Amino acid sequence: MAGQDLYRDDPDVESMLAFQKGDDQAFETLFRKYSRPLVNFSYRLIGNRGRAEEIAQEVFLEVHRAKSTYLPQAKFSTWIYRISTHRCWNELRRPERRLMAMQHRDPTGDEGDRAAVEPVAAGPDALQHLEAKQLQDAVADAVSSLPEQQRTALILCRYHAMGYREAAEAMETTESAVKSLMHRATVGLRDRLKSFL
Amino acid sequence: MNGHEISEELVAFLDGALSVEDARRVEKHLERCPSCREILEDFRRTGQLLNRWTEIAPSPGFEPRVLTHIRASETRRPVSIGFGNLNRWFFGSPIRWSAVAAGIVLMAGAAYWIFPLSRNEDVLTEAEKDEMATHIDLYVDYGVISHLDTLKPMDATPPPQGDESSIINTA
Ligand SMILES: [Zn+2]
């Protein structure tokens, strides 16, 4: 297959093909490599930690079920982020979600991590922690308030180190569309984060 | 034409996503345009600010829980029948359908008792069982436990038999 040859040098494609041949360990390798990035991808996109973990689980289930039909036609990362993107977009379009669309990040959903930057005692360190937390919240709110397409492109490119072309493949759009989304997203963030620049 | 429209290219310029010619055009404009240089600097700092939104760690037990869920649902997944004729024969007549379905239920029931090794507990490694025991509440929350056939419901805790309860009972 031409497609298989094209992505032969992607080690993750290698792992997926090994899994296809019955190597279950190869699936676990992929799982361990991508589980945390995918949870973070969904979390940043939909803002709810519990749902983000469920979506990551659904994505891996889909990868597992693709065992017999998998045919490499893209880098493995592009493929798995494409699946994740679709699932997140579906999640965002669920009617009950629209009601709370502006309440992006579930405040109870990331308590554990927020607690980690909470000041434990008064003092210069505590102040620094508080400032870091405020800045983190401001950035998270600013990203969360971007329109869905801009947010997706931005998260793929800025938090998952994708180039415009790979992001375009994951979003099933064109490179020039991603370029435009990235411009608008950055302008939007600059305006929202002006006081921190 | 003042050339400021290159400001729309500045994010792509920072991302190294422009062609060599386009990047050169942007650079040339930046050399003589302080206002576009300022925009460029704002975009650069905006990009840096994004690093302040740090990653979250998945909740405790996430990885083994998901692996267990995937193995459990794949073990339970019905194997699809690839023979078109058999499918047509099978679904063509409701009587045949119910007879075959009843047969399958009986065989599955028998297989369950004859081949206990195929049950889900054997899909787990020892480490994963330990992990599950540690975070058992999480597994219950996520419904993973419902996949584990062999876990029997715990006996209800008998009411305390001490003096206090007798006092309450007799009061
Ligand atoms: Zn200019």
Side-chain angles (χ1 to χ4, degrees):
Chain A
M1 281 289 156
Q4 286 192 2
D5 293 339
L6 202 54
Y7 298 102
R8 266 285 171 193
D9 51 354
D10 177 357
D12 298 335
V13 166
E14 287 297 314
S15 295
M16 192 61 196
L17 292 171
F19 171 54
Q20 194 160 45
K21 288 177 189 135
D23 177 1
D24 286 343
Q25 211 56 47
F27 175 79
E28 288 191 23
T29 303
L30 290 170
F31 175 76
R32 291 189 204 287
K33 178 170 178 182
Y34 284 96
S35 62
R36 187 179 169 125
L38 286 191
V39 167
N40 275 278
F41 172 72
S42 301
Y43 174 63
R44 287 189 167 117
L45 197 44
I46 67 173
N48 177 301
R49 184 197 194 123
R51 273 305 287 150
E53 291 191 354
E54 283 165 14
I55 288 172
Q57 170 170 296
E58 290 163 13
V59 170
F60 283 110
L61 195 59
E62 193 169 334
V63 170
H64 199 274
R65 287 187 176 163
K67 183 178 182 175
S68 54
T69 54
Y70 178 72
L71 189 66
Q73 286 172 330
K75 277 172 70 182
F76 179 82
S77 59
T78 311
W79 181 60
I80 200 167
Y81 278 102
R82 188 185 302 158
I83 299 173
S84 305
T85 299
H86 274 279
R87 290 198 176 257
C88 287
W89 285 350
N90 284 340
E91 171 71 18
L92 290 168
R93 281 155 207 175
R94 278 168 54 195
E96 66 267 31
R97 262 205 76 88
R98 288 211 182 128
L99 291 173
M100 47 176 235
M102 291 322 291
Q103 181 200 329
H104 282 292
R105 279 164 316 107
D106 159 15
T108 57
D110 55 356
E111 223 165 54
D113 303 274
R114 294 297 167 103
V117 290
E118 215 61 71
V120 285
D125 278 0
L127 191 63
Q128 259 185 350
H129 277 292
L130 186 65
E131 280 168 1
K133 185 191 183 305
Q134 281 171 343
L135 185 50
Q136 157 144 314
D137 286 354
V139 172
D141 288 342
V143 173
S144 304
S145 65
L146 293 172
E148 184 181 298
Q149 296 283 312
Q150 292 179 29
R151 191 160 84 240
T152 308
L154 185 103
I155 291 169
L156 288 171
C157 294
R158 293 285 178 266
Y159 293 106
H160 298 274
M162 280 195 188
Y164 290 5
R165 186 171 172 182
E166 196 183 356
E169 276 186 64
M171 294 174 69
E172 294 184 301
T173 184
T174 62
E175 213 175 319
S176 66
V178 169
K179 184 180 157 192
S180 161
L181 289 168
M182 287 301 287
H183 171 71
R184 285 182 282 151
T186 307
V187 169
L189 291 175
R190 177 201 61 187
D191 295 346
R192 287 173 178 92
L193 296 170
K194 220 163 192 118
S195 56
F196 297 99
L197 289 180
Chain B
M1 182 78 90
N2 54 20
H4 291 310
E5 64 270 21
I6 65 101
S7 68
E8 305 229 336
E9 312 277 310
L10 289 177
V11 175
F13 176 73
L14 285 171
D15 284 335
L18 292 182
S19 67
V20 177
E21 310 89 81
D22 286 348
R24 188 159 298 237
R25 195 164 47 82
V26 169
E27 273 168 1
K28 271 196 152 166
H29 178 82
L30 286 171
E31 276 170 21
R32 55 187 166 76
C33 181
S35 71
C36 282
R37 281 205 298 273
E38 204 173 310
I39 296 172
L40 182 79
E41 196 44 37
D42 276 357
F43 286 170
R44 196 199 308 274
R45 274 183 286 182
T46 301
Q48 285 168 349
L49 268 185
L50 293 177
N51 299 329
R52 307 304 290 262
W53 190 8
T54 52
E55 276 202 335
I56 58 163
S59 58
F62 172 76
E63 289 198 356
R65 188 170 67 233
V66 172
L67 281 175
T68 305
H69 173 80
I70 289 172
R71 291 192 197 121
S73 37
E74 292 304 87
T75 310
R76 298 183 147 241
R77 210 171 162 215
V79 178
S80 63
I81 299 170
F83 306 104
N85 287 336
L86 183 59
N87 271 331
R88 241 170 282 131
W89 178 84
F90 184 79
F91 291 109
S93 145
I95 297 166
R96 239 177 335 218
W97 191 92
S98 1
V100 174
I104 287 172
V105 168
L106 281 173
M107 283 193 292
Y112 184 87
W113 293 111
I114 295 167
F115 304 109
L117 285 182
S118 65
R119 289 180 228 163
N120 285 324
E121 63 170 0
D122 304 291
V123 176
L124 299 179
T125 65
E126 284 307 315
E128 285 162 351
K129 284 178 196 168
D130 287 348
E131 158 62 37
M132 286 191 72
T134 315
H135 300 290
I136 194 72
D137 50 333
L138 290 168
Y139 289 92
V140 172
D141 286 350
Y142 281 78
V144 174
I145 292 299
S146 63
H147 291 286
L148 300 176
D149 295 331
T150 50
L151 284 182
K152 300 275 185 294
M154 285 171 68
D155 291 323
T157 316
Q161 297 296 314
D163 294 332
E164 285 170 33
S165 65
S166 348
I167 291 166
I168 293 164
N169 287 338
T170 51

